[in-house]
Amino acid sequence: MTDIAAATQAPRRNRFLSSVAGFARQQPVGAVSLFIILAMLFASIFASWVAPYHPLDTDFMAILTAPSWEHLAGTDTFGRDVFSRLIHGARTALVIGITASLLGCTAGALLGAASAYFGGRIDAVIQRIVDLLLSFPLVVLALVIAAVIGRQLVFGIDMGLVLAIAIPIVPQVSRVIRASALSVRSMAYIDAARVAGYSHTRIILRHMAPNLVAPFLIMVTAYVAQAILLEASLSFLGLGVVEPTPAWGLMLSGNATDYFISAPWLIIFPGLAISIAVIAFNLFGDALRDWLDPKFTT
Amino acid sequence: MIARRTLGGRRECAFGPTCVAWGPGAAIGRRRAITSQLISANHDGQGASGEASRRPLLDVEGLAVEFTTGAGRLRAVDGLSISVAPGETLAIVGESGSGKSVSALSIMRLLPGRIARVVSGSIQFDGRDLRSMSDAEIRKVRGSQISMIFQEPMSSLNPILTIGYQITEPLRIHTGVSKEKARERAVELMRMVGIPDAERRLDQYPHQFSGGMRQRVMIAIGLACNPRMIIADEPTTALDVTIQAQILELLKNLSRDLGIALIVITHNLGVVARYADRVAVMYAARLVEEGAAEEIFARPRHPYTMGLLRSVPRLDRPRTGRLQTIDGLPPNLAKAPEGCRFAPRCPFRIDMCSKVPPLEPTDTGARSACFRWQEIADGAIRWEGEPDGGKVALERGKPLLSVKNLRKHFPVSGGMFGKPGVVKAVEDVSFDIARGETLGLVGESGCGKTTVGRLLLGLEDPSAGEISFAGTDLLAAGGDARKDLRRKIQVIFQDPYSSLNPRMTIGQIIGEPLRVYKLAKGPDGERNRVLELLGQVGLRPEMIDRYPHQLSGGQRQRVGIARALAIEPDFIVCDEAVSALDVSIQGQIINLLEDLQRRLGLTFLFIAHDLAVVRHISNRVAVMYLGRIMELADRDELYSNPLHPYTKLLLDAAPVPDPVVEKQRAARLIKGDLPSPVNPPKGCVFHTRCPMAVKECGEVIPQLEAKKDGHFAACIRV
Amino acid sequence: MLSYVVRRILMMIPTLLGVAIITFFILRVVPGDIVEVKMRGDGAIVSVEAIEAERKRLGLDQPLGTQFVNWMTGLVTFDFGNSMWTGRPVIQEIAGRFALTFQTAILATLFAVLVAVPLGTVSALWRGSWIDYTMRLVTMGGLALPTFWVGLLLLMGLLWAFNWLPPLTFTPFFSDPMKNLSQLIWPAMVVGYRFASVLARLIRSSLLEILGEDFIRTARAKGASERRVIGLHALSNALLPAITVVGLEFAFLIGGLVVTEQVFNLNGLGKLFIQAIKNNDYTMIQGMVMMFAAIYVVANLVVDLLYAAIDPRVRYR
């Protein structure tokens, strides 16, 4: 309580630092998950330096070797180093996960906010379409969209896949943001701003938007987790990332069942990587929600 | 202990006349005849004799309750000692956070166990210690010996169980009655609390009942097992004044007829004066004064009680001047001041007040926790009033704002099975307001008063009618002219929590219009102006960098006023601007509004449901009912000589904080509930509840016409 | 009540029509062409004439509008057309696999409800205890661990522990329940784990919210025992939102078992759908999407009717 009061009076840079410190103190679990996320980001940005081997380098002398100091997570059927592939896979997962979540959440937020702000007929039409989209399981929608768009490489990212993951997110996010926007719009301070005669732009940007930033940030974080999971599922089904790009879901697809006895590390490590990433983003999202909730800052 | 005994004696005297007239024993005997086979355990061998009524039924000594919060531990109740006898009504009064509700819950042992704990004191009920009882034992007391009624009738009933089941549930829990017997008892209880058509309504669900009816259901639940004591925690705060009167009369009569001890927890001093035999005043977790109601009101012996009584406006008297308020805010219990908790706000504090004052018997037979009660009794200490600035003289003639035949209809969907309809929120409303005047607009919830305000503010578009401001038709004026005019009409809202943007600092909130409309020169000019406005509304300059959640309710309301003033308006709509505030803070805000009006020549439309506040602040008052104005007159004329039957009944329903006045007034209640605004009665909208209604009232819509000079009423029977 | 049911059934029509329009026209912008995929798939050289002939046979040469009208008239009579890949009627392909997927979904739902209701309740009642933390940890896993990985781990565990893997061919429940269950119980548990996690968390938060309601205090003030307070007053209200989640999640399972069926190598609707997607089998995709939508809409209706039956506020509004 007091540190927030102090924070608001301190200069800007200190304010940022002290709010990070405040977050770590109030949300230790969130801080740990943030650390994991940052570590993953670091590893994926500097993957070429961090990874001990090139992810595509095959070594036919070392096919299906068990984990050792030389190959931390063993090697696969082509003798590729699984650990290096996991690190490069993190890049794939994070790039696609974050892009898709940002894209889907932004589009969803804009749609939801527009729906709430204009109301009336526009709202009714948008909500009908959202209803339609919400009547399909996430995977089914993603599969259909992936099939419709196909592979579209932009800067080495398969935008077809990104959209296939992002679009199913849109209706879900728009629902939540619409509800938040409606509740913000019914606040007395919005009425006060209207009575003051401010322009629509000012009311939307200065009074409504800042109060929607918190739910938006929370959703972006939570949906990165969803997107990573969805990307892994699609890749597993053979309709996401394609060989030879290293991707976690892809590493489990195909005839993984053949290695139950001979090379279980091929199954355990990629799944573990997906799980840790998803859990980290989920926990960070939860911590962010608790921290940004006004109840906790009074 | 001596005080206690003398009090006990007095209590019997005060109770005397009622004893003879009604006789708790006789009443219980009568009731027993009806339900003796149902309830046998409770009253047998006790309660009916005179001996029992002299002995306190509940005796609380030195009760202390601690809460564990994120900010550490705090004492929500600190050393409370009260007692109640059968058939007696004790009122516990105090502002929010004073510990009155916590006390009630701790008697019933209903405090949330994980955060609250009774740390000391004893709670004796009928000679048994409730504090040391096992969970199973206290459950046998709850609902059968002691019942409780809560503030929110809307959420206090289980939405998916029938009313009948919920009323008979205590019987199922505490007695082994058959289903048929229980149902008979439920019908009997519903009749007793005045729910018509009981057999049919038994099988309905809570959402099919109005707020007042739900509170009656709560009372019926409370009475089911013939309890010996009822605790009512703010039982009427969520209800309209006419419904409040119905509920409280009912509780009072039941208590008297059945010899039930009644504890009413309230912040409303009028309710206390009308219904309480004894009063306990709490401040910042402590009992500050306790005694017979007449004495506490007539001769308070604690400065807080004195201040509280002086700070409420009176409904029954012409305005005598500025409200006498208590300065400052109640303390934060987490870091409460040493010694007397009221000392920081007390004009009579002396060095000694840094010690905790004991609760001592005084000359009035009450007990006071003030070192200087003797001096108060001697008249050596008096609370000096401030001079009244008075109301400004009005220039009659051309009004600043004029409303003609205003209408607002809202379409409503009929839900899953119903047909869509129209709510006539505002119907044919006309009035003028002169420059510098305050027009009060009163009425019960749903009468359309807030919608009138929103129409004037441009937050809603009227369905029909005219609004002209400063000689210009607001609805016809186009573009910038209209915008400039609109800006001269500003607003102060009720809810100090939702009316400030939580993401902006106080400085940004007040400074925004200055920048948008270039009302100040440069950043320095803006800052200076914001500081000036903060000063005008009585806030310290360092508030400028705070966020709304760091302020108290009263402070937020001051920020809301400063924000309105920043735009330099001529006219301000005050929409229930003081309703959400505690009594002592409410007085401060009312005084502030009046000072500002005088200094800046402002004109107010003051929308409120509190009749006394409206009388104090307004020049003229309009009374609304179901979308229409029923009566409009000068304030003193309207209050002392009401013409419309609705106004008369409304004024009768509102209790005055004066036991002497209240004990003389007969109870005149408005019958029935507010009709649905979707389908209002034909003819005069009030005729369904009006004691003077004749056949014609159901056919002709009465027009608001001058019955006397400047006194308008819409009634054909006047 | 009856008029309400009829109105709700009629309201399903525009929804399904909307789904039909969107799926049909979106699938026509697909870049790949089924005929080319089918005939040139293995790099075979096929003449342009042959491709045109095949197009004509499948009715792909007709204008879009005509194709749509033909499809819609078929739909009304429950004729979903023939698969462009196998040539067999869509409805027949679906029917052959429906039982497996439907039964797995039912088993998963049963598992989820049986696990989640006690788990969520206990967790809410002992909030902050080790039971609560364990439950939150376990359900966090249910939300975060990819189902296909959990499935693989389960199979691996079965192989390691019993040197046994579930049978690969589907046996209808009524011909040999044990054999049937020995195949389907595993995928049902894997999906049910995720489902139960969602449900248990919902029940926990919903119960915590209800326990803070005023009417719970009223019940305690009546002298009700904790068992009565929780069993009668709190749980009945707290489980209401769970009905929606169970209904809709069940509907989602019919289409959403795609990944699980792949892991356990089950020949269900999910696998059929994947094949259809991979082959650009328009009629099959359309037919299946329509079926998924219809199941969702029906589940929605059932949930609403259940609500109306249980919650008086809905019934009398």
Side-chain angles (χ1 to χ4, degrees):
Chain A
M1 217 159 21
T2 40
D3 44 34
I4 286 165
T8 55
Q9 279 147 6
R12 239 198 149 70
R13 217 162 62 93
N14 286 346
R15 196 166 116 187
F16 176 74
L17 285 179
S18 70
S19 62
V20 168
F23 177 79
R25 210 173 27 250
Q26 281 176 36
Q27 307 286 341
V29 179
V32 171
S33 43
L34 179 62
F35 177 77
I36 294 175
I37 292 171
L38 291 177
M40 281 195 307
L41 274 174
F42 177 83
S44 56
I45 292 171
F46 302 104
S48 316
W49 288 278
V50 175
Y53 299 88
H54 190 273
L56 302 182
D57 277 353
T58 52
D59 178 359
F60 290 102
M61 300 308 288
I63 286 172
L64 292 179
T65 49
S68 62
W69 283 115
E70 206 168 327
H71 296 286
L72 283 174
T75 58
D76 66 5
T77 36
F78 299 99
R80 295 178 297 193
D81 180 53
V82 173
F83 184 66
S84 305
R85 287 178 67 73
L86 286 178
I87 286 175
H88 283 268
R91 176 187 281 185
T92 316
L94 287 181
V95 165
I96 292 181
I98 292 173
T99 330
S101 172
L102 268 178
L103 221 71
C105 288
T106 310
L110 289 176
L111 204 65
S115 197
Y117 190 78
F118 293 111
R121 197 152 281 177
I122 297 178
D123 183 35
V125 169
I126 293 179
Q127 288 315 304
R128 290 308 317 165
I129 295 173
V130 164
D131 272 347
L132 282 187
L133 292 176
L134 282 177
S135 59
F136 295 101
L138 221 54
V139 193
V140 169
L141 211 53
L143 282 174
V144 173
I145 295 165
V148 169
I149 301 175
R151 259 169 75 79
Q152 311 283 341
L153 284 184
V154 180
F155 299 117
I157 307 170
D158 180 358
M159 283 315 278
L161 181 59
V162 167
L163 284 176
I165 296 166
I167 293 175
I169 294 176
V170 173
Q172 305 193 359
V173 175
S174 88
R175 262 289 153 82
V176 178
I177 292 289
R178 175 175 175 269
S180 309
L182 282 179
S183 87
V184 169
R185 204 182 70 159
S186 70
M187 287 294 179
Y189 60 82
I190 299 294
D191 278 344
R194 285 172 64 198
V195 170
Y198 301 148
S199 63
H200 285 305
T201 345
R202 172 169 272 276
I203 293 176
I204 292 172
L205 293 182
R206 194 80 183 86
H207 293 271
M208 286 184 73
N211 288 289
L212 294 174
V213 166
F216 178 74
L217 284 180
I218 294 161
M219 294 235 281
V220 169
T221 332
Y223 274 104
V224 172
Q226 286 293 309
I228 290 176
L229 211 50
L230 201 51
E231 180 267 313
S233 299
L234 292 182
S235 302
F236 172 76
L237 291 173
L239 286 159
V241 179
V242 291
E243 287 282 7
T245 317
W248 296 338
L250 197 57
M251 292 166 79
L252 288 169
S253 82
N255 39 6
T257 39
D258 297 351
Y259 307 112
F260 277 171
I261 303 285
S262 58
W265 59 87
L266 284 186
I267 290 158
I268 290 172
F269 290 115
L272 214 53
I274 302 171
S275 306
I276 291 173
V278 173
I279 289 179
F281 275 102
N282 271 339
L283 287 177
F284 180 61
D286 286 355
L288 201 62
R289 184 191 56 216
D290 291 348
W291 190 60
L292 290 176
D293 191 319
K295 270 184 295 213
F296 284 79
T297 48
T298 39
Chain B
M1 267 340 274
I2 301 159
R4 191 155 286 279
R5 203 154 299 136
T6 50
L7 290 178
R10 274 187 44 74
R11 193 177 298 143
E12 202 191 17
C13 296
F15 202 59
T18 353
C19 272
V20 176
W22 294 90
I28 288 173
R30 185 155 38 86
R31 294 260 322 97
R32 180 90 57 69
I34 311 172
T35 55
S36 56
Q37 62 285 45
L38 283 170
I39 318 294
S40 52
N42 276 358
H43 291 288
D44 277 357
Q46 40 178 257
S49 69
E51 182 62 32
S53 65
R54 213 176 294 130
R55 215 173 50 209
L57 179 65
L58 176 82
D59 198 343
V60 177
E61 272 293 336
L63 180 74
V65 181
E66 266 187 8
F67 273 71
T68 314
T69 67
R73 281 205 196 156
L74 61 85
R75 286 215 162 181
V77 177
D78 193 3
L80 177 75
S81 302
I82 48 166
S83 63
V84 203
E88 184 183 54
T89 302
L90 168 78
I92 304 181
V93 259
E95 299 177 87
S96 46
S98 62
K100 51 192 196 303
S101 290
V102 175
S103 311
L105 290 171
S106 48
I107 293 170
M108 290 284 270
R109 299 242 315 253
L110 283 172
L111 288 171
R114 66 172 62 229
I115 51 164
R117 207 162 59 91
V118 175
V119 287
S120 66
S122 78
I123 306 167
Q124 297 286 327
F125 178 76
D126 194 27
R128 297 198 291 159
D129 187 9
L130 297 185
R131 234 194 111 189
S132 60
M133 278 186 178
S134 70
D135 284 356
E137 283 172 322
I138 187 79
R139 274 204 292 274
K140 287 198 188 108
V141 174
R142 287 183 200 147
S144 82
Q145 308 262 321
I146 310 176
S147 296
M148 195 154 177
I149 293 160
F150 300 102
Q151 174 172 3
E152 287 296 334
M154 289 305 176
S155 53
S156 291
L157 293 169
N158 190 328
I160 62 172
L161 296 176
T162 62
I163 294 296
Y165 184 86
Q166 300 193 52
I167 291 180
T168 54
E169 194 178 10
L171 292 173
R172 285 168 201 252
I173 294 169
H174 297 290
T175 67
V177 296
S178 68
K179 246 184 173 170
E180 293 72 41
K181 283 268 186 333
R183 200 177 161 89
E184 270 172 44
R185 173 75 173 146
V187 171
E188 181 191 319
L189 285 164
M190 284 169 85
R191 292 220 179 97
M192 208 161 30
V193 298
I195 300 175
D197 202 6
E199 277 91 354
R200 191 175 60 84
R201 302 214 75 180
L202 266 182
D203 298 319
Q204 293 189 334
Y205 290 90
H207 69 274
Q208 292 162 293
F209 284 66
S210 69
M213 281 294 158
R214 284 187 214 193
Q215 205 58 307
R216 285 172 193 267
V217 171
M218 283 299 290
I219 296 173
I221 293 173
L223 290 172
C225 289
N226 278 352
R228 311 195 40 213
M229 183 167 91
I230 294 180
I231 303 174
D233 185 0
E234 302 266 9
T236 57
T237 305
L239 304 173
D240 275 318
V241 62
T242 58
I243 310 296
Q244 163 179 301
Q246 292 173 357
I247 296 293
L248 288 171
E249 283 304 320
L250 173 68
L251 270 176
K252 182 74 184 173
N253 290 339
L254 288 168
S255 147
R256 199 169 43 207
D257 296 357
L258 306 177
I260 297 172
L262 187 60
I263 298 182
V264 177
I265 289 154
T266 182
H267 65 277
N268 184 329
L269 292 171
V271 167
V272 178
R274 180 162 182 92
Y275 300 100
D277 302 313
R278 306 184 58 79
V279 186
V281 184
M282 289 187 76
Y283 181 79
R286 289 197 189 137
L287 188 63
V288 293
E289 193 167 5
E290 190 266 346
E294 285 90 348
E295 297 297 341
I296 298 277
F297 277 88
R299 298 185 288 157
R301 290 295 180 255
H302 193 284
Y304 175 65
T305 320
M306 293 162 75
L308 203 60
L309 288 170
R310 288 152 43 96
S311 58
V312 280
R314 289 284 293 256
L315 172 70
D316 57 333
R317 287 187 200 155
R319 178 194 165 99
T320 48
R322 204 175 142 80
L323 282 180
Q324 314 297 326
T325 62
I326 309 171
D327 290 338
L329 302 171
N332 178 352
L333 287 181
K335 34 192 169 192
E338 301 273 307
C340 175
R341 298 231 162 124
F342 187 60
R345 298 173 75 186
C346 183
F348 317 125
R349 70 179 163 268
I350 47 178
D351 291 346
M352 204 196 228
C353 297
S354 59
K355 292 199 201 91
V356 179
L359 205 58
E360 287 177 1
T362 68
D363 61 320
T364 63
R367 294 179 294 158
S368 162
C370 179
F371 290 116
R372 306 184 72 185
W373 72 263
Q374 190 65 52
E375 292 167 74
I376 297 172
D378 296 343
I381 294 179
R382 291 169 66 185
W383 204 313
E384 293 302 329
E386 293 168 57
D388 186 15
K391 285 274 172 191
V392 277
L394 302 176
E395 36 170 316
R396 291 275 177 212
K398 63 171 196 299
L400 176 66
L401 181 116
S402 170
V403 169
K404 274 199 186 66
N405 306 107
L406 200 61
R407 279 196 168 81
K408 178 66 188 177
H409 294 177
F410 292 105
V412 284
S413 72
M416 209 174 260
F417 303 113
K419 289 192 180 74
V422 165
V423 172
K424 297 177 176 174
V426 175
E427 190 67 0
D428 208 7
V429 163
S430 307
F431 56 81
D432 292 339
I433 306 180
R435 193 177 281 278
E437 185 184 27
T438 302
L439 177 72
L441 193 55
V442 285
E444 297 174 274
S445 55
C447 73
K449 54 189 193 299
T450 292
T451 310
V452 169
R454 292 179 66 84
L455 289 168
L456 298 186
L457 292 164
L459 290 171
E460 307 278 356
D461 292 322
S463 308
E466 286 172 31
I467 303 172
S468 63
F469 181 72
T472 318
D473 186 344
L474 267 186
L475 303 173
D480 289 346
R482 182 176 171 180
K483 268 192 177 163
D484 289 344
L485 272 177
R486 277 262 182 247
R487 216 189 300 152
K488 294 288 174 192
I489 306 177
Q490 285 305 313
V491 65
I492 300 163
F493 286 110
Q494 166 178 15
D495 183 3
Y497 290 88
S498 75
S499 62
L500 303 179
N501 188 339
R503 307 271 164 201
M504 288 167 84
T505 65
I506 304 309
Q508 288 168 331
I509 290 170
I510 302 174
E512 186 178 24
L514 304 177
R515 204 171 323 157
V516 173
Y517 298 121
K518 302 190 173 54
L519 297 171
K521 284 197 186 79
D524 285 344
E526 185 190 315
R527 197 178 159 81
N528 288 337
R529 177 76 178 127
V530 170
L531 289 173
E532 184 188 337
L533 285 162
L534 282 176
Q536 271 187 1
V537 297
L539 289 174
R540 292 192 308 275
E542 63 263 29
M543 294 286 177
I544 197 165
D545 290 319
R546 301 268 169 92
Y547 282 88
H549 65 76
Q550 298 167 311
L551 271 56
S552 72
Q555 288 171 332
R556 285 180 219 222
Q557 206 57 315
R558 288 174 192 269
V559 174
I561 295 171
R563 173 180 58 191
L565 292 179
I567 307 181
E568 297 171 9
D570 292 330
F571 185 90
I572 297 183
V573 175
C574 306
D575 188 358
E576 300 274 14
V578 298
S579 312
L581 305 173
D582 271 321
V583 176
S584 68
I585 310 298
Q586 178 175 305
Q588 295 171 0
I589 300 291
I590 291 172
N591 283 348
L592 173 65
L593 286 172
E594 289 196 317
D595 292 346
L596 291 169
Q597 175 171 49
R598 207 162 31 243
R599 214 159 353 135
L600 305 172
L602 296 168
T603 307
F604 289 149
L605 176 69
F606 196 88
I607 300 167
H609 67 274
D610 186 328
L611 296 156
V613 167
V614 169
R615 174 167 200 174
H616 178 82
I617 202 170
S618 310
N619 299 98
R620 285 185 306 146
V621 176
V623 181
M624 279 186 83
Y625 183 78
L626 276 181
R628 291 174 182 274
I629 293 185
M630 297 281 111
E631 186 162 6
L632 194 164
D634 252 43
R635 59 150 182 242
D636 289 336
E637 167 73 12
L638 187 109
Y639 281 77
S640 56
N641 191 14
L643 294 177
H644 197 285
Y646 175 63
T647 316
K648 285 181 185 168
L649 289 168
L650 201 60
L651 291 174
D652 277 347
V656 172
D658 186 339
V660 181
V661 175
E662 279 301 337
K663 300 275 140 86
Q664 288 163 359
R665 288 209 314 179
R668 273 196 295 170
L669 302 176
I670 302 195
K671 56 186 180 190
D673 259 350
L674 199 69
S676 157
V678 181
N679 196 8
K682 290 204 164 53
C684 173
V685 282
F686 187 57
H687 85 267
T688 50
R689 300 173 77 191
C690 182
M692 291 167 68
V694 291
K695 188 167 163 285
E696 212 187 337
C697 293
E699 292 152 6
V700 190
I701 297 176
Q703 295 303 308
L704 191 68
E705 52 198 11
K707 305 285 180 183
K708 285 192 221 165
D709 187 30
H711 193 148
F712 301 82
C715 180
I716 54 170
R717 302 272 287 145
V718 176
Chain C
M1 194 68 189
L2 187 73
S3 76
Y4 168 66
V5 175
V6 172
R7 216 167 55 220
R8 277 302 319 265
I9 291 175
L10 289 178
M11 267 163 61
M12 289 161 61
I13 294 173
T15 314
L16 290 176
L17 192 68
V19 173
I21 294 172
I22 292 179
T23 38
F24 182 87
F25 287 100
I26 282 185
L27 283 178
R28 305 300 134 156
V29 272
V30 178
D33 179 343
I34 179 161
V35 179
E36 300 209 0
V37 174
K38 191 175 168 185
M39 303 186 78
R40 285 184 176 153
D42 303 324
I45 297 159
V46 184
S47 70
V48 181
E49 289 76 23
I51 286 183
E52 280 309 310
E54 181 68 10
R55 279 225 164 105
K56 202 171 175 97
R57 200 179 65 75
L58 294 175
L60 290 176
D61 57 334
Q62 287 170 15
L64 271 187
T66 324
Q67 284 186 42
F68 182 68
V69 170
N70 287 343
W71 184 56
M72 285 306 293
T73 41
L75 276 188
V76 177
T77 57
F78 287 98
D79 176 8
F80 286 62
N82 294 338
S83 163
M84 293 180 175
W85 185 255
T86 62
R88 300 208 302 158
V90 168
I91 201 116
Q92 212 176 320
E93 295 275 9
I94 292 177
R97 292 164 174 87
F98 191 78
L100 185 149
T101 304
F102 193 66
Q103 199 201 328
T104 314
I106 288 179
L107 286 175
T109 310
L110 273 178
F111 176 84
V113 171
L114 290 180
V115 169
V117 173
L119 208 62
T121 310
V122 166
S123 177
L125 293 182
W126 280 277
R127 175 163 60 148
S129 69
W130 66 268
I131 300 181
D132 186 27
Y133 281 112
T134 315
M135 177 272 189
R136 277 155 75 187
L137 203 71
V138 170
T139 55
M140 167 64 76
L143 299 181
L145 310 186
T147 19
F148 54 90
W149 188 54
V150 177
L152 287 172
L153 289 184
L154 181 69
L155 286 176
M156 196 157 86
L158 287 174
L159 194 64
W160 278 65
F162 307 109
N163 199 17
W164 174 84
L165 282 175
L168 287 175
T169 46
F170 178 62
T171 322
F173 181 75
F174 292 104
S175 56
D176 185 352
M178 278 316 289
K179 202 167 174 203
N180 166 281
L181 287 181
S182 71
Q183 182 191 19
L184 295 188
I185 199 101
W186 314 107
M189 268 167 60
V190 170
V191 185
Y193 175 34
R194 197 197 67 84
F195 192 166
S197 303
V198 174
L199 201 58
R201 287 179 161 238
L202 174 90
I203 290 171
R204 177 180 183 272
S205 65
S206 153
L207 187 56
L208 281 178
E209 193 188 315
I210 295 287
L211 284 175
E213 291 278 347
D214 289 346
F215 63 81
I216 294 298
R217 198 177 49 186
T218 306
R220 292 210 169 103
K222 285 175 179 175
S225 62
E226 277 307 284
R227 219 173 108 184
R228 177 179 268 270
V229 170
I230 288 152
L232 177 74
H233 291 279
L235 265 184
S236 53
N237 278 288
L239 291 181
L240 278 176
I243 293 177
T244 313
V245 171
V246 170
L248 301 187
E249 284 282 321
F250 173 77
F252 279 162
L253 281 187
I254 302 291
L257 286 176
V258 187
V259 181
T260 318
E261 286 178 9
Q262 192 81 11
V263 176
F264 288 88
N265 212 356
L266 302 175
N267 193 12
L269 292 176
K271 206 154 196 197
L272 183 67
F273 189 63
I274 294 281
Q275 281 164 10
I277 295 263
K278 284 186 173 163
N279 297 335
N280 281 353
D281 188 346
Y282 297 163
T283 37
M284 187 59 94
I285 297 175
Q286 282 166 21
M288 295 196 74
V289 166
M290 281 313 292
M291 182 195 61
F292 294 151
I295 287 171
Y296 177 84
V297 168
V298 171
N300 217 342
L301 174 71
V302 171
V303 164
D304 280 0
L305 293 182
L306 266 179
Y307 249 104
I310 297 169
D311 190 341
R313 284 166 295 187
V314 178
R315 203 181 320 154
Y316 291 101
R317 198 161 54 205

